[in-house]
């Protein structure tokens, strides 16, 4: 991420303060180093005592950038707990856009993307996902839903904001083609690099809706003083079951150790404590898994 974009991401994130959303009174239990887990790490990581996790800098309440190289949120708490288990420090780096994140992981510049990042079969060709949450995709719209956007079928001719390079962008572009095939106006797809910018586009009436993951939308909508609301809740909206997780290069040895570390955090209750702290209890799954996604988007 360029210096200008880093400053912009931090500035925008500051507009959506964590205060009042996170349960500040919740204490996340400290983890003891697990020698067996640490021994599973590649030798170079054991020697350096650190690894780098890349993020978009904007995926509340999972990832909330507090500077260009530090995070708050559920993923930050989980990464910290995992680092304690493994006896390493997990450093955070921000890039612009999902494509930059995935290419950075696959080039070896970063060891992993903690995410959670959408797990889809087409992405599994180059990546391994260690899934730890389930997600849903809905719309953030103006209060009262004046454009009556209650599902994909209502987006023809509308200005729909999406995250550039994400699965929601693929779905909305497919829907746009369906609109024109049916003789209706195409969807005006507006691609943005992060969540806050997309939300601001709706709030400033440059977009009719933001089509994105439900968990961060709940967070952002709660910060708009009643300006926005959710729509399309409870519908598939072009998706099958959506699993999200950390991502490493395909067949990376890190996948097994990250999975094992997640399983420990699930088993000892830390996962549930962190997810509930950030209001994400409805996104919890029973156990982490590798490449849980079996179906592509519709």
């Amino acid at each position: 991420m360029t210096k200008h974009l880093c400053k912009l991401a931090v500035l925008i994130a500051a507009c959506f303060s964590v205060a009042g959303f996170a349960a500040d009174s919740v204490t996340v239990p400290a983890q003891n180093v697990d020698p067996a887990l640490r021994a599973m790490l590649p030798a170079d990581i054991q020697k350096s005592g650190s690894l780098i996790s890349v993020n978009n800098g904007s995926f509340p309440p999972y990832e909330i950038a507090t500077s260009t190289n530090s995070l708050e949120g559920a993923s930050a708490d989980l990464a910290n707990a995992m680092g304690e288990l493994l006896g390493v420090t997990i450093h955070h780096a921000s890039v612009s856009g999902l494509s930059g994140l995935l290419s950075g992981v696959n080039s070896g510049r970063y060891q992993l993307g903690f995410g959670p990042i959408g797990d889809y079969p087409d992405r599994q060709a180059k990546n391994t996902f260690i899934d730890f949450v389930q997600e849903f995709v809905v719309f953030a719209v103006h209060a009262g839903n004046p454009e009556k956007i209650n599902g994909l079928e209502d987006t023809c001719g509308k200005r729909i904001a999406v995250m550039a390079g994400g699965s929601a962008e693929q779905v909305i572009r497919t829907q746009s083609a369906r609109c024109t095939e049916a003789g209706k106006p195409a969807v005006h797809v507006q691609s943005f690099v992060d969540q806050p910018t997309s939300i601001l586009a709706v709030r400033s009436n440059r977009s009719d809706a933001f089509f994105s993951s439900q968990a961060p939308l709940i967070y952002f909508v709660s910060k708009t003083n009643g300006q926005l609301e959710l729509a399309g809740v409870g519908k598939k909206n072009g998706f099958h079951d959506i699993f999200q997780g950390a991502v490493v290069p395909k067949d990376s040895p890190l996948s097994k150790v990250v999975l094992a570390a997640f399983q420990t955090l699930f088993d000892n209750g830390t996962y549930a404590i962190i997810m509930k702290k950030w209001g994400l209890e409805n996104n919890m799954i029973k156990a982490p898994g590798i490449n849980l996604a079996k179906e592509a988007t519709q």
Side-chain angles (χ1 to χ4, degrees):
M1 182 182 287
T2 65
K3 183 177 181 181
H4 172 71
L5 286 175
C6 288
K7 289 182 177 179
L8 179 61
V10 173
L11 178 61
I12 293 173
C15 295
F16 300 94
S17 170
V18 178
F21 188 86
D24 296 331
S25 61
V26 175
T27 300
V28 177
Q31 310 295 309
N32 295 318
V33 175
D34 185 317
L37 289 178
R38 181 175 172 79
M40 293 173 65
L41 286 168
D44 59 331
I45 294 177
Q46 291 188 49
K47 183 178 180 179
S48 68
S50 66
L51 56 83
I52 302 175
S53 174
V54 63
N55 63 78
N56 280 329
S58 169
F59 192 37
Y62 291 107
E63 297 174 328
I64 304 167
T66 53
S67 72
T68 56
N69 59 0
S70 63
L71 291 179
E72 292 182 353
S75 292
D77 284 348
L78 286 166
N80 182 62
M82 185 174 292
E84 291 175 345
L85 275 177
L86 300 176
V88 300
T89 300
I90 298 180
H91 300 286
H92 300 285
S94 296
V95 297
S96 178
L98 182 61
S99 60
L101 185 155
L102 293 174
S103 64
V105 169
N106 281 289
S107 71
R109 184 174 183 182
Y110 313 105
Q111 280 80 40
L112 80 159
F114 203 91
I117 298 155
D119 173 9
Y120 300 103
D122 59 328
R123 291 181 182 170
Q124 293 172 9
K126 294 182 178 180
N127 309 279
T128 296
F129 291 86
I130 306 93
D131 298 318
F132 61 92
V133 294
Q134 187 169 6
E135 189 52 278
F136 310 90
V137 181
V138 298
F139 297 89
V141 300
H142 296 281
N145 197 3
E147 297 296 329
K148 296 180 172 53
I149 300 171
N150 294 303
L152 278 182
E153 65 277 6
D154 301 321
T155 59
C156 300
K158 302 295 194 268
R159 302 168 299 169
I160 307 299
V162 291
M163 283 276 286
S167 55
E169 181 179 34
Q170 298 175 30
V171 168
I172 207 68
R173 290 193 184 281
T174 297
Q175 175 59 30
S176 183
R178 290 173 178 165
C179 290
T180 56
E181 288 169 2
K184 298 178 181 179
V187 179
H188 299 289
V189 181
Q190 302 170 320
S191 302
F192 295 98
V193 297
D194 57 34
Q195 299 268 352
T197 305
S198 305
I199 281 287
L200 288 174
V202 181
R203 294 183 72 176
S204 63
N205 203 34
R206 290 183 290 124
S207 301
D208 297 313
F210 177 29
F211 184 50
S212 191
S213 299
Q214 181 172 288
L217 288 189
I218 290 173
Y219 174 88
F220 283 123
V221 166
S222 73
K223 300 296 182 182
T224 64
N225 297 318
Q227 281 185 285
L228 305 183
E229 63 184 51
L230 296 187
V233 176
K235 294 186 176 183
K236 288 290 186 180
N237 290 324
F239 291 83
H240 294 286
D241 289 338
I242 303 171
F243 293 99
Q244 296 180 330
V247 62
V248 297
K250 187 173 179 64
D251 300 325
S252 166
L254 269 181
S255 61
K256 292 183 179 179
V257 65
V258 172
L259 176 64
F262 265 124
Q263 188 63 63
T264 298
L265 296 176
F266 272 65
D267 292 343
N268 69 18
T270 302
Y271 167 79
I273 290 171
I274 292 172
M275 292 292 284
K276 291 175 181 178
K277 170 185 175 180
W278 293 94
L280 293 165
E281 51 267 46
N282 292 329
N283 297 87
M284 294 170 58
I285 58 177
K286 293 182 179 179
I290 299 289
N291 292 345
L292 295 180
K294 304 303 179 186
E295 296 178 292
T297 54
Q298 296 174 356

